[in-house]
Amino acid sequence: MPEGTVQTAGELRARLAQYGARWSVLEHLADEEPVPRPALGLEPGAHLARADEVGPVDLRALVGRPSGNPHLDRRRAAHGLLPGPARAPRSAPPAAARAAAARAAAPATARPAAVDWRSRWGWPWITRVKDQNPCGSCWVFAAAGLVESMARIEHDVWAERSEGDVYDGLRCACGQGGDPVTALDWIRTNGGLADPDCRPYGVPPAGLPAARRDAWRSARTPSWDRSGRTVRITDYVRLGDVEQQKVWLDTVGPLTACFDVYDDFFGLGAGVYHRTGGRRAGGHCVLVVGYDDAAGCWLFKNSWGTAHHVGGYGRIAYGEAGIDQWAKYGLYGTDVDPWSKRRLHTGNVYESGNGRAHRNFELLARAGGGRLQHWWREGEAPFAWARAGTFAHDASGQPAFTGSTYNRNMESLHVTTGGRLRHWYYEQSAGVWRDGGVFGPGDAAVGSTPAFIQSDYGRPGNFEVVVRTADGRLNHWWRINGAPWSWNDGGRFASGIAHYGPALVQTRGRRLDLVAARADGRMQRWTRDDANGFVWRAGEVFGEGAVCAPCLIEGQYGAADEDTAGNYELCVAVAGGRVEHWWRSGSSGSAWSRGAVFGRDVLAVTGMLQGSFGFNLEVVVLRTDRLLQHYWRGSPSPDGSGGGGGWHEGAVIGPA
């Protein structure tokens, strides 16, 4: 059959049989159906470097320091990319000294024969397959997929990004192509890549006159808090050597790749693609998420929807269709926004994007005279805590602390000595703490801790606060985060609530949930029913002996993708100076389970987070001697069912 005339699935199947091809045509296509031809979009030019013009890079100089991902650290150590292990101290027994010497002398091990980031080490790392159609925007999808995957790999959080942020930012027409370098350059120089709710991907309506397309795009401006809703990146890395590309996939993460598309590629289903003929249709870009030496191929994530290849993922032979002719591009050192992390912390501690590794812990605690002390911990060894500034003068209890979408400002809330609520915020652009004013009821429980989050109601998202009042009830307040910046009383609910205060979270399903300790020492969950008048509904009761406000997050265990709810994780101090960890499935609604009891001499749990350290849970407690101390738990099984590394006693931070 002459080149360029393949039109039906049956004709392509006959061609594959003639060539003895190692791949099959899309199974859902009947023989008489035409092979679909999704949009491409690569515009090769000065921005794409030829692989043979890119010399080998110094991988150890690029990634030769520990990450927060212990799996990656083991792989980097195996390749000799990390510094050698420290010598055993002189006081160490001979066996320890011999083991340290053996590790130092051990040669770097070979890379694995296959890597697949979709389910590596039992965890999911890659966001869902998307569909670029009808536009020629593959190059933007490849770049956005790279940012998404590296945010997940480096910070253990799902952070779906918007291709529309780049496409509209560059004012691209639907038929306009490009390359991943153009997209990555725009992301780097424009403050990062926003989430879809900030600026979604979309295309002008069919038939819209060209004269009106600019007006259509102008109406799609991002929400004005975009600066706090972007995953930021530094420079990207060009890799031309195939072996180094495989080492990168093993020790860092995915890569963007571009190649020539011929007519037969549009029909690729299962198997490893080798060209069987046909004319060249254009160029295309994808995200390479692995390789397989036994099959001799790259594994890629496409942007044509899940009906193509196998669930949207395909395989292409090494060197085929020019895929190794162009350099592939990688990222490291992503800086994830507080919006993506907003469900992963509670109480007086959260993980910011500060520091060289973009994973500092930020902590706020009481100091003398009603003042508040800001503490922080660097996200790299030796992980020492340090004091920052102090502010306020009327804090009666521990504060609530979070990062917001307002240029990543730090936001603090406490109950005053007069029974009101006071808001403070750290203005990142000026580097100063500012008093946000007093609001709320006149009878907030003095000495209690309010619950404080930023929800996704409104654009930008509203602040949501729940505080225990002197009558033993809970009072919800919320602020519209735009003019006139007013706080609103959302009403009171519940009764018999213990003095300490509640914990609040907005679930992935947009529901406001809280857990509060009751006067009888048990805990109870409450849910706000938005569909029926925004009333709070009482939920299950569990536990006993609680002596502080619980700390509640929706974590990453159980979150199989960016749309699936993660498990609830809760820690609370109980009688006897211990801490109880409880968890509950976020998707099945199962009963609460007590996972572990740990700690000693604990007066209260003041904060909890899940950050960038291998899915670990991090807890800050206030001890009976009024010192703050850090505890952490190593990662359990990916389904969150417990076990794993157990709870460990960490550093003493300082007084509170």
Side-chain angles (χ1 to χ4, degrees), residues 117-119 123-128 145 147-153 155-161 195-196 231 301 313 336-344 508 554-566 610-611 615:
W117 275 106
R118 291 177 296 179
S119 58
W123 291 94
W125 304 97
I126 307 299
T127 50
R128 70 178 183 272
V147 175
E148 290 176 340
S149 61
M150 292 312 303
R152 173 69 172 175
I153 292 165
H155 298 280
D156 305 309
V157 61
W158 293 115
E160 184 183 3
R161 299 296 93 187
D195 63 279
V231 173
K301 173 188 175 184
Y313 288 89
V336 178
D337 58 295
W339 189 245
S340 296
K341 296 181 179 181
R342 66 192 184 277
R343 300 181 183 91
L344 301 178
R508 195 169 300 274
E554 183 186 311
Q556 289 293 301
Y557 302 113
D561 54 41
E562 61 269 43
D563 296 320
T564 304
Q610 186 174 41
F615 298 101

Side-chain angles (χ1 to χ4, degrees), residues 138-205:
C138 61
W139 49 285
V140 180
F141 278 77
L146 181 61
V147 175
E148 290 176 340
S149 61
M150 292 312 303
R152 173 69 172 175
I153 292 165
E154 294 184 319
H155 298 280
D156 305 309
V157 61
W158 293 115
E160 184 183 3
R161 299 296 93 187
S162 173
E163 295 78 14
D165 197 32
V166 177
Y167 216 55
D168 287 352
L170 288 168
R171 306 186 68 81
C172 292
C174 186
Q176 185 174 340
D179 56 79
V181 176
T182 298
L184 292 170
D185 280 340
W186 188 92
I187 294 167
R188 182 182 57 179
T189 58
N190 286 273
L193 185 59
D195 63 279
D197 288 335
C198 179
R199 178 152 60 174
Y201 176 76
V203 298

